[in-house]
Amino acid sequence: MEGEPWIFINGSFWPKSQAKISVFDHGLLYGDGIFETLRAYGGKILFLTRHIERLMAGARAISINIGQSAESLCQILYQILAKNHLGDAYLRLSVTRGEGEIGLDPALCPHPTIIVQARAFSGHPPRLYQEGIRAELVKVCRNAPKSTDPAIKSLNFLNNILAMQEALRAGAREAIMLSHEGWVCEGSVSNIFWVREGILKTPATAVGLLAGVTREAVLELARLSGIAVEEGYFSPEDLAAAKEIFLTNTTYEIMPVTLLGQCPVGDGRPGEITRFLLQKYREKIPQFLAEDESNLVRPAES
Ligand code: PLP
């Protein structure tokens, strides 16, 4: 159908209205699978290598044999951009256990399902960056690493959905979860940073969180800029005493938080270090794109 977005499923492109998978897909039946959210700027995908490496690591952790090389996954992502004539875009790559009879044995699903979709996206409204958003410390805690390990970007997102529901009910845009041991952990779709006494703090990955690709880039950027950085185990009281808070993810980049629950963060406006890092991050995007070798797999045609 004319004008419909194209979706990739297992080697074929389908118009959105015809893009279908089986009701026996274990991604649907059990949330059994992994995914990545990626972002393209001017037709190039940011941190493509890191996203694909994380997907591959997740697949190994849950014993899914994707059956595709990293290069061919990169090719597919670029094909979906080209097919949909997209430059600035949001991309989603999902890999499920595949279709199989009901039951938990992975052997029931011999072939994974690979789905890639994309849509135009050139960032969240500037107002959010000027004013900052409200985040809520929620009661739902992050999965313990010995349970569904948060390091795996799993399709099984119910825990995060429950956390987000709690935040939305409180009038906030994002939920901040504690670990099952009570340490500040991460957002439902983001990693968290804050500034206290001039030090940029973020929970260590060992707390049990998703090692965000943006988190990693922001840590590198902060260190390069001479900002003191501490990764560790932090209490909610430490967070509550922050002068600045921000969240990171692929689509947010760096999103200031100016209200934590009912309490203004610092003077209630995006802080100096937050604004500095956001500006630096945006300035460096062309360099990040140029440095990422995976972008070389881009198909020639557009
Ligand atoms: N933590 C969680 C739970 C997430 O879902 C996400 C992204 O969706 C992130 C952190 C940030 O990850 P990234 O920076 O790789 O987008």
Side-chain angles (χ1 to χ4, degrees):
M1 226 205 249
E2 189 68 25
E4 271 197 86
W6 291 95
I7 316 278
F8 174 96
I9 306 175
N10 287 341
S12 309
F13 291 91
W14 299 89
K16 182 179 169 186
S17 60
Q18 290 170 42
K20 307 254 163 60
I21 60 162
S22 164
V23 294
F24 286 95
D25 195 290
H26 283 214
L28 168 68
L29 290 174
Y30 304 114
D32 187 356
I34 46 181
F35 74 104
E36 284 294 321
T37 297
L38 306 97
R39 186 164 167 186
Y41 296 78
K44 279 191 170 184
I45 302 171
L46 189 64
F47 303 129
L48 181 52
T49 304
R50 295 184 194 195
H51 281 286
I52 296 296
E53 279 172 0
R54 185 170 66 188
L55 184 90
M56 294 291 202
R60 280 194 298 276
I62 65 170
S63 305
I64 286 186
N65 178 6
I66 299 182
Q68 297 278 345
S69 65
E71 289 71 26
S72 76
L73 290 174
C74 294
Q75 289 269 4
I76 298 166
L77 287 162
Y78 273 109
Q79 280 169 5
I80 203 87
L81 283 183
K83 194 116 178 109
N84 289 293
H85 309 290
L86 292 169
D88 292 336
Y90 158 103
L91 300 103
R92 161 126 181 179
L93 164 59
S94 313
V95 180
T96 81
R97 180 82 53 195
E99 185 180 346
E101 282 307 316
I102 288 181
L104 302 192
D105 183 349
L108 294 167
C109 306
H111 306 295
T113 304
I114 301 177
I115 305 167
V116 185
Q117 56 206 93
R119 66 174 162 82
F121 179 78
S122 49
H124 296 286
R127 185 179 53 81
L128 299 183
Y129 296 88
Q130 285 147 16
E131 295 174 5
I133 64 165
R134 174 171 170 179
E136 190 77 16
L137 207 53
V138 294
K139 293 197 183 69
V140 173
C141 71
R142 193 66 169 112
N143 312 74
K146 283 184 179 170
S147 173
T148 309
D149 187 348
I152 302 165
K153 200 166 162 65
S154 154
L155 287 178
N156 206 309
F157 230 56
L158 191 55
N159 193 72
N160 304 38
I161 292 166
L162 292 174
M164 180 61 108
Q165 282 180 2
E166 198 180 326
L168 291 171
R169 277 196 299 270
R173 256 186 187 260
E174 173 60 313
I176 308 301
M177 290 178 278
L178 302 181
S179 72
H180 69 294
E181 292 170 324
W183 305 112
V184 178
C185 190
E186 64 177 334
S188 70
V189 292
S190 62
N191 292 115
I192 185 164
F193 288 78
W194 63 98
V195 179
R196 196 181 163 198
E197 289 159 3
I199 299 172
L200 181 65
K201 299 182 170 189
T202 196
T205 52
V207 171
L209 48 84
L210 183 75
V213 167
T214 322
R215 173 187 180 277
E216 201 56 43
V218 167
L219 283 172
E220 285 164 17
L221 205 55
R223 289 190 176 113
L224 277 175
S225 309
I227 297 168
V229 175
E230 203 179 322
E231 291 179 76
Y233 290 78
F234 300 111
S235 65
E237 291 73 29
D238 198 274
L239 175 65
K243 286 278 170 289
E244 302 182 29
I245 302 178
F246 63 84
L247 305 172
T248 62
N249 75 19
T250 295
T251 68
Y252 283 168
E253 301 171 328
I254 294 174
M255 178 64 76
V257 173
T258 46
L259 263 182
L260 184 63
Q262 312 269 17
C263 302
V265 179
D267 64 4
R269 284 175 298 178
E272 197 184 331
I273 293 181
T274 307
R275 285 184 285 118
F276 171 82
L277 286 170
L278 175 60
Q279 190 190 336
K280 279 270 167 260
Y281 182 90
R282 287 184 171 162
E283 278 171 13
K284 282 196 87 168
I285 285 172
Q287 189 186 329
F288 293 145
L289 290 167
E291 283 168 1
D292 191 342
E293 302 236 318
S294 292
N295 282 307
L296 299 176
V297 305
R298 195 154 54 126
E301 98 283 2
S302 62

